[in-house]
Amino acid sequence: MDNRPIGIFDSGLGGLTCVKEVMKIMPNEDIIYFGDTGRVPYGTRSRDTVIKYVKQDINFLETFDIKYIIIACGTASSAALPFIEEEYATRISGVLYPAARGAVRATKNKKIGVIGTSGTVKSGKYIEAIHELLPDAQVFQKACPLFVPLVENGMTEGEATRLIAEEYLKELRDAEVDTIILGCTHYPLLTDVIREIVGEGVALIDSGAAAADFAREDMERLGLLSDKNEKGTAKFFVSDSTENFSELGSMFLQKEIDGDVSFTDIEKY
Ligand code: DGL
């Protein structure tokens, strides 16, 4: 048993999809969240830049004596996870394997769609993760670079968002996928719009929630779960305006996070 906090990070708001699930399935765990809102998006940057950012994000989280880190970001998981894992003593997991596992469990026709940032799609890491679990799966990928700015600006519904989503998703619809990995943790915030376009019959895999489910199993196996009885606390840090994050984050988590958001100068780490 270990009562130290879990560190979770993303380029911005997207990782809250993971935080939400952690709060649901591990309610007595303390959370330190970092959203790199000053440098979002990660998805259009080079792999080297993303690796540099990820290391700084982890260095910052490690100042809190955390017991476990969840990279709640598809882009960061695909660019950096295999390369940095061994550099840190803290156990680190990401979104790729957990989401691929969810998709493989859900698909019936073995046609799986993956939507993600340009960086994630280019890396091909979700395809690898799916094929390791289900070698004869057909995987169809689509980069959706406008989704992250839409979410970061609170545009999770409305006509403009629907039109953009329609354009991005038509290839996957034509390919008749029965499962789509929302491979960027920002995308579950667009679930209603995506669902409207692809229909009820397609399983949508929330990569943030899948990462939280996997982390719980992993921590249990490693004896890292908390044995506290009281409800866990959550502290949020961002590298840009705290107001913007508090407002959109509270809306998403459906709880007030106002007083718990602080600024950090991430370049120092
Ligand atoms: N939530 C991140 C991801 O999963 C967002 C990427 C970005 O910042 O572009 O990929």
Side-chain angles (χ1 to χ4, degrees):
M1 291 298 154
D2 190 327
N3 292 335
R4 291 176 299 159
I6 302 172
I8 304 176
F9 74 91
D10 175 49
S11 59
L13 281 165
L16 295 180
T17 53
C18 179
V19 170
K20 196 174 177 185
E21 181 74 4
V22 170
M23 287 174 164
K24 192 169 115 199
I25 62 173
M26 299 181 259
N28 55 350
E29 295 289 346
D30 292 336
I31 297 168
I32 306 285
Y33 181 82
F34 174 63
D36 199 358
T37 51
R39 306 190 293 194
V40 66
Y42 282 11
T44 48
R45 299 185 195 275
S46 71
R47 206 186 67 172
D48 286 350
T49 301
V50 176
I51 292 176
K52 178 186 141 198
Y53 288 176
V54 168
K55 285 183 178 176
Q56 289 178 310
D57 302 344
I58 295 174
N59 294 342
F60 168 66
L61 287 174
E62 284 204 322
T63 63
F64 293 92
D65 189 27
I66 44 176
K67 62 180 170 187
Y68 192 94
I69 289 180
I70 307 176
I71 304 187
C73 175
T75 312
S77 299
S78 26
L81 188 52
F83 308 101
I84 48 114
E85 229 174 346
E86 277 162 18
E87 287 181 31
Y88 293 91
T90 312
R91 171 85 172 173
I92 305 172
S93 66
V95 301
L96 296 175
Y97 169 76
R101 181 178 71 170
V104 164
R105 285 177 181 163
T107 187
K108 295 201 169 52
N109 70 4
K110 299 186 183 177
K111 291 184 181 184
I112 299 173
V114 175
I115 55 174
T117 64
S118 308
T120 298
V121 164
K122 252 188 248 148
S123 80
K125 292 287 179 196
Y126 271 115
I127 303 183
E128 271 174 34
I130 294 167
H131 280 155
E132 260 171 44
L133 298 169
L134 187 64
D136 60 341
Q138 279 181 273
V139 186
F140 303 85
Q141 295 198 104
K142 182 74 187 171
C144 308
L146 293 175
F147 278 177
V148 169
L150 285 172
V151 169
E152 289 287 325
N153 288 287
M155 288 181 68
T156 53
E157 52 190 19
E159 194 50 19
T161 304
R162 207 187 55 75
L163 281 174
I164 291 167
E166 180 96 31
E167 181 67 27
Y168 283 149
L169 296 169
K170 67 178 177 226
E171 284 166 38
L172 298 188
R173 209 173 37 190
D174 292 349
E176 296 179 343
V177 299
D178 71 353
T179 303
I180 297 178
I181 295 180
L182 308 180
C184 166
T185 52
H186 280 70
Y187 298 178
L189 288 136
L190 298 167
T191 296
D192 290 349
V193 174
I194 295 171
R195 167 70 61 216
E196 207 183 297
I197 293 164
V198 299
E200 290 298 328
V202 174
L204 300 179
I205 308 298
D206 176 332
S207 55
D213 294 339
F214 173 80
R216 193 193 180 288
E217 291 165 29
D218 200 29
M219 283 195 282
E220 182 162 33
R221 201 169 47 78
L222 299 168
L224 290 176
L225 289 173
S226 160
D227 64 355
K228 284 192 307 178
N229 289 321
E230 67 271 25
K231 201 165 169 295
T233 60
K235 287 201 181 81
F236 300 86
F237 293 86
V238 290
S239 50
D240 200 81
S241 150
T242 55
E243 293 84 46
N244 202 24
F245 184 86
S246 299
E247 201 179 305
L248 291 171
S250 301
M251 221 167 67
F252 176 64
L253 286 180
Q254 285 152 356
K255 70 195 278 287
E256 202 57 53
I257 57 173
D258 202 22
D260 300 314
V261 186
S262 313
F263 171 81
T264 187
D265 179 3
I266 195 65
E267 292 295 351
K268 284 198 319 218
Y269 294 90

